[in-house]
Amino acid sequence: YSRDKYEGNEYAGVVTGLAWTAVGGEILFVESSLSKSKGEKLTLTGNLGDVMKESAIIAMQYIKAHAEMLNISDDVFDKWNVHIHVPEGAIPKDGPSAGITMVTSIASSFTQRKVRPNLAMTGEITLRGRVLPVGGIKEKILAAKRANIKDIILSEENKKDIDEIKENYIKGLTFHYVRNIKEVLDFALLNEKVEHPIQL
Amino acid sequence: YSRDKYEGNEYAGVVTGLAWTAVGGEILFVESSLSKSKGEKLTLTGNLGDVMKESAIIAMQYIKAHAEMLNISDDVFDKWNVHIHVPEGAIPKDGPSAGITMVTSIASSFTQRKVRPNLAMTGEITLRGRVLPVGGIKEKILAAKRANIKDIILSEENKKDIDEIKENYIKGLTFHYVRNIKEVLDFALLNEKVEHPIQL
Amino acid sequence: YSRDKYEGNEYAGVVTGLAWTAVGGEILFVESSLSKSKGEKLTLTGNLGDVMKESAIIAMQYIKAHAEMLNISDDVFDKWNVHIHVPEGAIPKDGPSAGITMVTSIASSFTQRKVRPNLAMTGEITLRGRVLPVGGIKEKILAAKRANIKDIILSEENKKDIDEIKENYIKGLTFHYVRNIKEVLDFALLNEKVEHPIQL
Amino acid sequence: YSRDKYEGNEYAGVVTGLAWTAVGGEILFVESSLSKSKGEKLTLTGNLGDVMKESAIIAMQYIKAHAEMLNISDDVFDKWNVHIHVPEGAIPKDGPSAGITMVTSIASSFTQRKVRPNLAMTGEITLRGRVLPVGGIKEKILAAKRANIKDIILSEENKKDIDEIKENYIKGLTFHYVRNIKEVLDFALLNEKVEHPIQL
Amino acid sequence: YSRDKYEGNEYAGVVTGLAWTAVGGEILFVESSLSKSKGEKLTLTGNLGDVMKESAIIAMQYIKAHAEMLNISDDVFDKWNVHIHVPEGAIPKDGPSAGITMVTSIASSFTQRKVRPNLAMTGEITLRGRVLPVGGIKEKILAAKRANIKDIILSEENKKDIDEIKENYIKGLTFHYVRNIKEVLDFALLNEKVEHPIQL
Amino acid sequence: YSRDKYEGNEYAGVVTGLAWTAVGGEILFVESSLSKSKGEKLTLTGNLGDVMKESAIIAMQYIKAHAEMLNISDDVFDKWNVHIHVPEGAIPKDGPSAGITMVTSIASSFTQRKVRPNLAMTGEITLRGRVLPVGGIKEKILAAKRANIKDIILSEENKKDIDEIKENYIKGLTFHYVRNIKEVLDFALLNEKVEHPIQL
Ligand SMILES: [Ca+2]
Ligand SMILES: [Ca+2]
Ligand SMILES: [Ca+2]
Ligand SMILES: [Ca+2]
Ligand SMILES: [Ca+2]
Ligand SMILES: [Ca+2]
Ligand SMILES: [Ca+2]
Ligand SMILES: [Ca+2]
Ligand SMILES: [Ca+2]
Ligand SMILES: [Ca+2]
Ligand SMILES: [Ca+2]
Ligand SMILES: [Ca+2]
C-alpha cells in the first residue's frame, strides 16, 4: 500500500502509529471523535482484536484519571461519547502497541490541541502510565521513514532495538525515548489548538 | 439478477452503492429510516458482516460530529432512532466500501434532502472524514452502467483504476473523485427536499 | 402435515404466509400480539433464523415510520410491546419472504382491523417499502391452493413465475401483484375491526 | 426414574406435564413462582433448550394479553417477576410440547387458583391461543398412567393418536381434547384458591 | 486435597456441601456475601457450570418468595446485592446437588444466623421447595466423615443409598432426611446470630 | 523478559504478584485505578481468563463487604468506577492465584495508602476472606528473588512448599504466611499515603 503517507496534523484526535504485520511495517492512523451524550460511551471500530480494544479502554481510563494534568474538566466525560477508529476497516488489527497512540488521540480530542507534525509513535501503556516496549521495531522504523515521519516516540526499553539498526536506515529520524505517558503527551501535543475547535 | 436497476430518488435516505461480489459487480441500495425514540439507537439489518456494520457506526458518528455543517440541530439525535437496511436480506454483505453510501443515506434522512438522480458511489470512510479507495472498481463500474447510473463518486485514490478501463466501457459515465466526506455530501445531496418530508 | 389449512380471520394480527421448504411448499401463520409496557420491546419467537428476525425488525420500523398512513397514533409504540410468533416452534424457519406477512400482521394488531379472508402472501420488504420477489413460487402456490386460499399477494417481479405455471394448477386463485407495502396493506386489511378489539 | 409420581395440587403454579425422551415417556413438573420487582422479568431455569424457552415466553405473553379473561389486573405484571422452573436440573429439556403446561402454571401463579388434581397435559401453544398437536403421545400416556394421573388434556388434533392406542392401556384415563388455551384453563384451574395465597 | 476440612461456623453465609467428582467425594464450601446496592444483583463465581448457576438462581428466588417464613423483610432484596462463591476457582463445578447448600447460605446471609456446626448437606432444590435426591451418595458420605462432619442433610429419597452403605463407614454420622427446603433451614440455621452481624 | 524488576511503590493501586507460566515463574503487576462515575462499574483488562476475572470480582466484593475495616466510607463505591489491569496485554493470564494481589490493589486505591516496598504475594481468595494455597511456589520464589523482592506473602498452607526449597535459593527473602485477607492487608498496606493522593 504505497498510499500510506503521513497526512498532516489539521484534525484533533488523529495520531500516527506504527504497526508490524506479516508483510512488514506500516503506519496507521488512530482517529478519535467526540459526540454529545447522556451516558459515557466508548465506541471502537476498525476491525480491532480484543487486545487492541483493551488498549483503548486503558487509554480512556488513563485520561479520565489524569484529567487534571491535561486541564480537562472531569465533568466532560459524562457529556461526551468517545469513538476511536483505526482505518482501514477490511484489515484486522491487534496487539497492545497502539496504546500510546490511542492515549494521545483521546487527549488531543478532549483538549482540541494539535498533534506535533511528522510524529509517529509505538508503545504499550499500563494503567499507571508506564510505557512498555513493543516488537517489530526495525520494520516499523523503516515504514515510518518511507511515510515521511521525522520524530518517533518509543519506550526507553526499545532503545536497544534502535541501537541495532544500521545508522544509514535511520538518518533523518529523531527518537524520543519515554518512560511514561506524561512524557508522551508533553512531547506529542502542541499548545496550539486545531482550527475551529469544538467547545467542550 | 437482471432486476437491479437504478430506482429513482423520491425517498429520503435511499442511496445507490456499488458492490463487488464473487459473481461480478452489482448495485445495491442503502436505505435509512428514522423513528421517534427516547434513547438514541442505531439498528442495522440486511445480513451485514461486522466490517459493514462498523461502516454504519462510523457514518453515524461522522454525522453527529458534523451536524452543524449539514444544518442538523444536534438535539435531533436524542429524539430519533436510525435504522439502516441494505436489501436483499438473503444475501450476506460485508466490507468497508459502502461507507460513503451510508453516510449519504443518513445525511439525507436527517435533512430530508433529495439525493442527486442517477448517482452511485463506493468508498470507505474514516472517522475524520477521509474517503479511502476500495477494490473491484472495474466490475462495479460495469454494473453501474448496466443499471442506468450517470454519475459516480469515488475516492481520488481510485482514479488510477478508472484510467485503466477502456474508454468505451465508461462512455456516458461521469466520475467525481473526492478526498473527503464533505465533497461527497456537497455533490450527492440536492438542496431540494423530498415530497412530504418528515418534521424533525 | 395435512393439518395446515387456512384458519379464518377472527383474530387481529394473524396473517397467512407461504413458505418453501425442503419438502415442498406450505402455509404458515404469522401471529402478533400486544402487551402494555414501559419500554418499546419487540419479542420474536418460533425458531426464527437471523434473516427472518431482521424481516420482523424491518416490518416494525416500517410501521413506526408510516404510522400516520395507517391512522396509528405514534405514541402508541411507547406504550405497547409487540410479540411476533410463527408456529410451529419445533421447526426452524428462515429467509426474508415473510416480510410482507409480518408487516401486515403488525399493522393488523395496531389497528385491530380484520385481515381479508382466504388471503395468503409472500414477499420480501425493504425499509422504504418496496416489495421484492422471492423464490419457490410454484411450490408455495400449490400449498396455498391445498390450504383453501383464494387470494395471493406477490411482488410484481414474481409475475413471471406465475406465468410459467400451468393454467390448471392455479384455477380458483387470484393473484395480486404489488410494488410496495402500501398496496399490500390496502388490499389485505379490511376496514372492519375484529370482535372485541383491544383499546390502544 | 421410579420416583416420578403425581405430587398433588397444594401449590399454586405447579402443573404436571408429559415429556417424551429417548428412554420413553415421563411426567415432568412445571413450577412457577412470583417475586416483587420493579421491572418485569421472566426467569427460566431447568436446563431448557431454546424452543422450550420460547414456549415460556409465548405463555407469558398470552397471559398478559388475556389478563382480563382470568380476572388478573394488568398492573400486576409490572410489580411481579415470574420465574419458571422445570426440575430436574441435570436433564436437558426441549421442544414445544410443554406450552400448555407453562401457560397453566403462570395462570395459577397469578390467580393463586388450585390446579385440578390428578391432571396432566401436553400441547404446543401459539400466540393467538391455539393448542397444537405434539408427538410421543403413546409413550406419554403410559407414563401418565404409571404416575397416577386421571385426566389428560391434549390438542384435538392428537385425538387420532389416542384412538390408535389399545383400550386396555388407557383404562382409567379421561382425555380432554381442546382447541385453544381458554379451554385448557377452564378445565385445569379450579375456582378454589391454594392455602395461604399470596396477595397480588 | 487433604486440606479440605470442616472450617467452623463463625461466618454468616458459609455452608458446607458435598461434591462428587471424577476422583471421589469431597466437601466444598458455599459462601455468600451481601453488599449495598441500588439494583438487585446476583453475582456467581467459582467456575460454576450452567446447571449450578441455575441452582443459585432458584435458591435466590425461593428465599425471595419465602422471605416471611424467615422473618426477612422483603424490601431488603432491593437494597442488597448477593454474591455467591464456591472455592476453589481453578476447579470447574457443575450439577444441581448444591441447591440446598446454596439456599441455606443465602438464608444465613440475610438473617445473619449461624449455621449448625459440623453439618454438611447435598440435594437438588425445586422452585416450590422440594428437595430432590442426588447421586454419588456413598463417595460424598466418606468425604464428609474424613472432613469431620457429624450431621448430614439429604433428600428422603436418598435414604435407600445410605441403607446400602456398610454400618462401619457411617459410624458417628447422623443423617437427616428431608422432603422440603423448610426442613433444611429449620435444622441448618441456629437461632444464634454470628458475631458482629451486619445490619440489614 | 529480563525487564521484569520490582518497580517501587510510588503509585496507589500497584501491587506485585507472582505468576507461574510454561516458561517458569515471573513477577506481574496488578494495577488499579479509579474514575468518577454514576453507576458502580468494574473494568478488567490485561488479557485475563475467566478464573482470573472472577478473582477480581471476588476481591471487589470483599472490599465492599469489609469497607469499615479499612475505614472506607461505603458510599464511595457508588461514586467511583474501578479498573483493574494486569500488564502486558499480549500475554494471556489466568488462574486464581492473583486473588490477594488484586484485593491489596483495590484496597490501596480506595485508601490511597502506599504498598510496602519490595513486597510480592501470591494466593487465592475466597469470599469470606480465606487465603488458599496455590501452585508453582518454587518457580515463583526464584522469580521474586531475581526481581529484587524482599518480602513475600503466602497462604499458611503453602509453607510446606517453601520448606522443600533449598536454603540457599531463598536467602534474603522473608516469608509471611497468612490465613486470611485481613492479615494480608495489615502487612501489605503502609499507613503512609501516596504523594498527591486523590480525594475520595
Ligand atoms: Ca495500510
Ligand atoms: Ca506488540
Ligand atoms: Ca442484487
Ligand atoms: Ca472493498
Ligand atoms: Ca406445517
Ligand atoms: Ca426467499
Ligand atoms: Ca424424571
Ligand atoms: Ca413435541
Ligand atoms: Ca477440594
Ligand atoms: Ca448430582
Ligand atoms: Ca513478563
Ligand atoms: Ca494457581
Side-chain angles (χ1 to χ4, degrees):
Chain A
Y1 293 114
S2 61
R3 79 175 177 272
D4 288 327
K5 292 287 176 212
Y6 173 69
E7 298 195 346
N9 69 340
E10 70 181 302
Y11 297 101
V14 180
V15 186
T16 309
L18 298 172
W20 179 38
T21 71
V23 299
E26 58 181 321
I27 64 168
L28 57 75
F29 303 102
V30 171
E31 305 179 330
S32 61
S33 168
L34 306 179
S35 57
K36 272 176 205 150
S37 107
K38 283 161 197 168
E40 44 190 304
K41 206 176 64 175
L42 175 60
T43 303
L44 304 173
T45 54
N47 215 332
L48 311 183
D50 286 348
V51 172
M52 200 160 183
K53 281 180 183 163
E54 287 196 351
S55 288
I57 294 166
I58 299 164
M60 192 67 221
Q61 171 64 16
Y62 181 87
I63 296 294
K64 279 187 191 171
H66 297 79
E68 204 180 356
M69 178 180 101
L70 289 157
N71 287 317
I72 300 170
S73 143
D74 65 11
D75 65 347
V76 111
F77 301 113
D78 288 340
K79 295 185 191 149
W80 295 87
N81 287 326
V82 179
H83 183 149
I84 298 175
H85 177 61
V86 187
E88 314 164 19
I91 301 169
K93 305 162 195 83
D94 209 351
S97 73
I100 60 173
T101 322
M102 282 172 159
V103 86
T104 305
S105 171
I106 300 170
S108 169
S109 279
F110 274 114
T111 60
Q112 295 288 305
R113 288 163 65 184
K114 279 190 148 178
V115 176
R116 182 176 295 276
N118 300 292
L119 170 70
M121 62 185 69
T122 185
E124 179 172 351
I125 54 176
T126 88
L127 207 46
R128 92 192 99 145
R130 285 266 284 123
V131 178
L132 302 182
V134 295
I137 293 298
K138 188 177 171 186
E139 291 82 357
K140 286 172 173 176
I141 296 308
L142 298 180
K145 210 176 159 186
R146 285 194 308 269
N148 203 30
I149 297 299
K150 302 301 174 205
D151 290 291
I152 294 179
I153 298 176
L154 293 170
S155 166
E156 197 182 55
E157 294 165 73
N158 276 127
K159 187 172 186 311
K160 64 181 186 305
D161 301 292
I162 299 297
D163 294 344
E164 284 166 10
I165 305 177
K166 277 197 192 155
E167 195 72 12
N168 206 37
Y169 289 171
I170 57 177
K171 201 183 290 180
L173 292 174
T174 308
F175 296 95
H176 304 267
Y177 300 109
V178 298
R179 288 183 57 82
N180 57 53
I181 296 175
K182 189 175 178 310
E183 294 171 79
V184 176
L185 298 178
D186 283 350
F187 185 73
L189 293 184
L190 304 181
N191 282 325
E192 187 186 351
K193 299 223 169 183
V194 294
E195 270 193 271
H196 310 304
I198 60 173
Q199 300 302 321
L200 290 161
Chain B
Y1 294 115
S2 61
R3 80 174 176 272
D4 289 327
K5 291 288 177 211
Y6 173 70
E7 298 195 347
N9 70 340
E10 70 181 301
Y11 298 101
V14 181
V15 185
T16 308
L18 298 171
W20 178 37
T21 71
V23 299
E26 58 181 321
I27 64 167
L28 57 75
F29 303 102
V30 171
E31 305 178 329
S32 61
S33 168
L34 307 179
S35 58
K36 272 176 204 149
S37 106
K38 284 161 197 168
E40 44 190 304
K41 206 175 64 175
L42 176 60
T43 303
L44 304 174
T45 54
N47 215 333
L48 311 183
D50 286 347
V51 172
M52 199 159 183
K53 282 181 183 162
E54 286 195 352
S55 289
I57 294 167
I58 299 164
M60 192 67 221
Q61 170 64 16
Y62 182 88
I63 296 294
K64 279 187 191 171
H66 297 80
E68 203 180 354
M69 179 180 101
L70 290 156
N71 287 318
I72 300 171
S73 144
D74 64 13
D75 65 347
V76 111
F77 301 113
D78 288 340
K79 295 186 192 149
W80 295 87
N81 287 326
V82 180
H83 183 149
I84 298 175
H85 177 62
V86 187
E88 313 164 20
I91 301 168
K93 305 161 194 83
D94 208 352
S97 73
I100 60 173
T101 321
M102 282 172 159
V103 86
T104 305
S105 170
I106 300 170
S108 169
S109 280
F110 274 114
T111 60
Q112 295 289 304
R113 288 162 65 184
K114 278 190 149 179
V115 176
R116 182 175 295 275
N118 300 292
L119 170 71
M121 60 185 71
T122 185
E124 179 172 352
I125 54 175
T126 88
L127 207 45
R128 92 192 99 144
R130 285 265 284 123
V131 177
L132 302 182
V134 295
I137 293 298
K138 189 177 170 185
E139 291 82 357
K140 286 172 173 175
I141 296 308
L142 298 180
K145 211 177 156 184
R146 285 195 307 268
N148 204 28
I149 297 299
K150 301 302 175 203
D151 290 292
I152 294 179
I153 299 177
L154 292 170
S155 166
E156 198 182 54
E157 294 166 73
N158 275 128
K159 185 171 188 312
K160 64 179 186 309
D161 302 292
I162 298 297
D163 294 343
E164 284 166 10
I165 305 177
K166 276 197 192 154
E167 195 71 11
N168 206 37
Y169 289 172
I170 56 178
K171 200 183 289 178
L173 292 174
T174 308
F175 296 95
H176 305 268
Y177 300 109
V178 298
R179 286 184 58 81
N180 57 54
I181 297 175
K182 189 175 178 311
E183 295 171 79
V184 175
L185 298 177
D186 283 350
F187 185 74
L189 293 183
L190 304 181
N191 282 325
E192 187 187 350
K193 300 223 169 183
V194 293
E195 270 193 273
H196 311 303
I198 60 173
Q199 300 302 322
L200 291 161
Chain C
Y1 294 115
S2 60
R3 79 174 176 274
D4 289 327
K5 291 287 175 214
Y6 173 70
E7 298 195 348
N9 70 341
E10 70 181 302
Y11 298 101
V14 181
V15 186
T16 308
L18 298 172
W20 178 37
T21 72
V23 299
E26 58 182 322
I27 64 168
L28 56 75
F29 303 102
V30 171
E31 304 178 329
S32 60
S33 168
L34 307 178
S35 56
K36 272 177 204 148
S37 108
K38 284 161 195 167
E40 45 190 303
K41 207 175 64 175
L42 175 60
T43 303
L44 303 173
T45 54
N47 215 333
L48 311 183
D50 286 348
V51 172
M52 199 159 182
K53 282 180 183 162
E54 286 195 353
S55 290
I57 294 167
I58 299 164
M60 191 67 221
Q61 170 64 15
Y62 181 88
I63 296 294
K64 279 186 192 172
H66 297 79
E68 203 179 354
M69 179 180 101
L70 289 156
N71 287 317
I72 301 171
S73 143
D74 64 12
D75 65 347
V76 111
F77 301 114
D78 288 340
K79 296 186 191 147
W80 295 87
N81 287 326
V82 179
H83 183 149
I84 298 175
H85 177 62
V86 188
E88 314 163 21
I91 301 168
K93 306 162 195 82
D94 208 352
S97 73
I100 60 173
T101 321
M102 283 172 159
V103 86
T104 306
S105 171
I106 300 169
S108 169
S109 280
F110 274 114
T111 60
Q112 296 287 304
R113 288 163 65 185
K114 278 190 149 179
V115 176
R116 181 176 295 274
N118 300 292
L119 171 70
M121 60 185 72
T122 185
E124 178 171 353
I125 54 175
T126 88
L127 208 45
R128 94 192 97 145
R130 285 265 284 122
V131 178
L132 302 182
V134 296
I137 293 298
K138 188 177 170 186
E139 291 82 356
K140 287 172 172 175
I141 296 308
L142 297 180
K145 210 177 157 183
R146 284 194 308 269
N148 203 29
I149 297 298
K150 302 301 175 204
D151 289 291
I152 294 179
I153 298 177
L154 293 170
S155 166
E156 196 182 57
E157 294 166 72
N158 275 128
K159 185 171 188 312
K160 63 180 186 307
D161 302 292
I162 298 297
D163 294 343
E164 285 166 10
I165 305 176
K166 275 198 193 152
E167 196 72 10
N168 206 36
Y169 289 172
I170 56 178
K171 200 182 289 179
L173 293 173
T174 308
F175 297 96
H176 306 267
Y177 300 109
V178 297
R179 288 184 57 82
N180 57 53
I181 297 175
K182 189 176 179 308
E183 296 171 78
V184 176
L185 298 177
D186 283 351
F187 185 74
L189 294 183
L190 304 181
N191 283 324
E192 187 187 350
K193 300 223 168 184
V194 294
E195 270 193 273
H196 311 303
I198 59 174
Q199 301 302 321
L200 291 161
Chain D
Y1 293 114
S2 60
R3 79 175 175 274
D4 288 327
K5 291 286 175 214
Y6 174 70
E7 298 195 347
N9 70 341
E10 70 182 302
Y11 298 102
V14 180
V15 186
T16 308
L18 298 172
W20 178 36
T21 72
V23 299
E26 58 181 322
I27 64 167
L28 56 74
F29 303 102
V30 171
E31 304 179 329
S32 61
S33 168
L34 306 179
S35 57
K36 273 177 202 148
S37 107
K38 284 162 196 166
E40 44 190 301
K41 207 174 64 175
L42 176 60
T43 303
L44 303 173
T45 54
N47 215 333
L48 312 183
D50 286 348
V51 172
M52 200 159 182
K53 282 180 183 162
E54 287 195 353
S55 289
I57 295 166
I58 298 164
M60 191 67 220
Q61 171 64 17
Y62 181 88
I63 296 294
K64 279 186 191 172
H66 297 79
E68 204 179 354
M69 178 180 101
L70 290 157
N71 287 317
I72 300 171
S73 143
D74 64 11
D75 65 347
V76 111
F77 301 114
D78 288 340
K79 295 187 191 146
W80 295 87
N81 286 326
V82 179
H83 183 149
I84 298 175
H85 177 62
V86 187
E88 314 164 22
I91 301 168
K93 305 162 196 82
D94 209 352
S97 73
I100 59 173
T101 322
M102 283 172 159
V103 86
T104 306
S105 171
I106 300 170
S108 169
S109 280
F110 274 114
T111 60
Q112 296 287 305
R113 288 163 64 184
K114 278 189 147 178
V115 176
R116 180 177 296 274
N118 300 291
L119 170 71
M121 60 185 72
T122 185
E124 178 172 354
I125 55 176
T126 88
L127 207 46
R128 94 192 96 145
R130 283 267 282 124
V131 177
L132 302 182
V134 296
I137 293 298
K138 187 177 171 185
E139 292 81 357
K140 287 172 172 175
I141 296 308
L142 297 180
K145 210 177 157 182
R146 285 194 307 269
N148 204 30
I149 297 299
K150 302 301 175 205
D151 290 291
I152 294 179
I153 298 177
L154 293 171
S155 167
E156 196 181 56
E157 294 166 72
N158 276 127
K159 185 170 188 310
K160 63 180 185 306
D161 302 291
I162 298 297
D163 294 344
E164 285 166 9
I165 305 176
K166 276 197 193 154
E167 196 73 9
N168 205 36
Y169 290 172
I170 56 178
K171 199 183 290 179
L173 292 173
T174 308
F175 297 96
H176 305 266
Y177 301 109
V178 297
R179 288 184 57 82
N180 57 54
I181 297 176
K182 189 175 179 309
E183 295 171 79
V184 176
L185 298 178
D186 282 350
F187 185 74
L189 293 184
L190 304 181
N191 283 325
E192 187 187 350
K193 300 222 168 185
V194 294
E195 271 193 89
H196 310 303
I198 59 173
Q199 301 302 322
L200 291 162
Chain E
Y1 292 114
S2 60
R3 80 176 176 273
D4 288 327
K5 291 287 176 213
Y6 174 70
E7 298 195 346
N9 70 340
E10 71 181 300
Y11 298 101
V14 181
V15 185
T16 308
L18 298 172
W20 178 37
T21 72
V23 299
E26 58 181 322
I27 65 168
L28 57 75
F29 303 102
V30 171
E31 304 179 330
S32 61
S33 167
L34 307 180
S35 57
K36 273 177 202 149
S37 107
K38 284 161 197 168
E40 45 190 301
K41 207 175 63 175
L42 176 60
T43 304
L44 303 174
T45 54
N47 215 333
L48 312 183
D50 286 348
V51 172
M52 199 158 181
K53 282 180 183 163
E54 287 195 352
S55 289
I57 294 166
I58 299 164
M60 192 67 220
Q61 171 65 17
Y62 181 88
I63 296 294
K64 279 186 192 172
H66 297 80
E68 204 180 354
M69 178 181 102
L70 290 156
N71 287 317
I72 301 171
S73 143
D74 64 12
D75 64 347
V76 111
F77 301 113
D78 287 340
K79 296 187 191 147
W80 295 86
N81 287 326
V82 179
H83 183 148
I84 298 176
H85 177 62
V86 187
E88 316 165 20
I91 301 169
K93 305 162 194 82
D94 209 351
S97 72
I100 60 172
T101 322
M102 283 173 158
V103 86
T104 305
S105 171
I106 299 170
S108 169
S109 279
F110 274 114
T111 59
Q112 296 287 306
R113 288 163 65 183
K114 277 190 148 179
V115 176
R116 180 176 296 275
N118 300 292
L119 170 70
M121 61 186 71
T122 185
E124 178 172 353
I125 55 176
T126 88
L127 207 46
R128 95 192 96 145
R130 283 266 284 123
V131 178
L132 302 182
V134 295
I137 293 298
K138 187 177 172 185
E139 292 81 356
K140 286 172 172 176
I141 295 308
L142 298 180
K145 210 177 159 184
R146 285 195 307 270
N148 204 29
I149 297 299
K150 301 301 174 207
D151 289 292
I152 294 179
I153 298 176
L154 293 171
S155 166
E156 196 181 56
E157 294 166 73
N158 276 128
K159 185 171 188 309
K160 63 180 185 307
D161 301 292
I162 298 298
D163 294 343
E164 285 165 9
I165 305 177
K166 276 197 192 155
E167 195 74 11
N168 206 35
Y169 290 171
I170 56 177
K171 200 183 288 180
L173 291 174
T174 308
F175 296 96
H176 305 266
Y177 300 110
V178 297
R179 288 183 57 82
N180 57 53
I181 297 176
K182 189 174 179 309
E183 296 171 79
V184 175
L185 297 178
D186 282 350
F187 185 74
L189 293 183
L190 304 181
N191 282 325
E192 187 187 351
K193 299 222 169 185
V194 295
E195 271 194 88
H196 310 302
I198 59 173
Q199 300 302 321
L200 291 162
Chain F
Y1 293 114
S2 61
R3 80 175 176 272
D4 288 328
K5 292 287 176 214
Y6 173 70
E7 298 195 346
N9 69 341
E10 70 181 302
Y11 297 101
V14 180
V15 185
T16 309
L18 298 171
W20 178 37
T21 71
V23 298
E26 58 181 323
I27 64 168
L28 57 75
F29 302 103
V30 171
E31 305 178 330
S32 62
S33 167
L34 307 179
S35 57
K36 273 177 203 149
S37 106
K38 283 161 197 167
E40 44 190 302
K41 206 175 64 174
L42 176 61
T43 304
L44 303 174
T45 54
N47 215 332
L48 312 183
D50 285 348
V51 172
M52 199 159 183
K53 281 180 183 163
E54 287 195 352
S55 289
I57 294 166
I58 299 164
M60 191 67 221
Q61 171 65 16
Y62 181 88
I63 296 294
K64 278 186 193 173
H66 296 80
E68 204 180 355
M69 179 180 102
L70 289 157
N71 287 317
I72 301 171
S73 142
D74 64 11
D75 65 347
V76 112
F77 301 114
D78 288 340
K79 295 186 191 148
W80 295 86
N81 287 326
V82 179
H83 182 150
I84 297 175
H85 177 61
V86 187
E88 315 164 20
I91 300 169
K93 306 162 193 82
D94 208 350
S97 72
I100 60 172
T101 322
M102 284 172 158
V103 86
T104 306
S105 171
I106 300 170
S108 169
S109 279
F110 274 114
T111 60
Q112 296 287 306
R113 288 162 65 183
K114 278 190 148 179
V115 176
R116 182 175 295 275
N118 300 292
L119 170 70
M121 61 186 70
T122 185
E124 178 171 352
I125 55 176
T126 87
L127 207 45
R128 93 192 98 145
R130 284 266 285 123
V131 178
L132 302 182
V134 295
I137 293 298
K138 187 177 173 186
E139 292 81 357
K140 286 172 172 176
I141 295 308
L142 298 180
K145 210 176 159 185
R146 284 194 309 268
N148 204 29
I149 296 300
K150 301 302 174 207
D151 289 292
I152 293 179
I153 298 176
L154 292 170
S155 166
E156 197 182 56
E157 294 166 73
N158 276 129
K159 185 171 187 311
K160 65 181 184 307
D161 301 290
I162 298 298
D163 294 344
E164 284 166 10
I165 306 176
K166 276 198 191 155
E167 195 73 12
N168 206 36
Y169 289 171
I170 56 177
K171 200 183 288 181
L173 292 174
T174 308
F175 297 96
H176 305 267
Y177 301 109
V178 297
R179 289 182 58 80
N180 57 55
I181 296 176
K182 189 175 178 311
E183 295 171 79
V184 176
L185 297 178
D186 283 350
F187 185 74
L189 293 184
L190 304 181
N191 282 325
E192 188 186 350
K193 299 222 169 184
V194 294
E195 270 194 90
H196 310 302
I198 59 173
Q199 300 302 321
L200 290 161

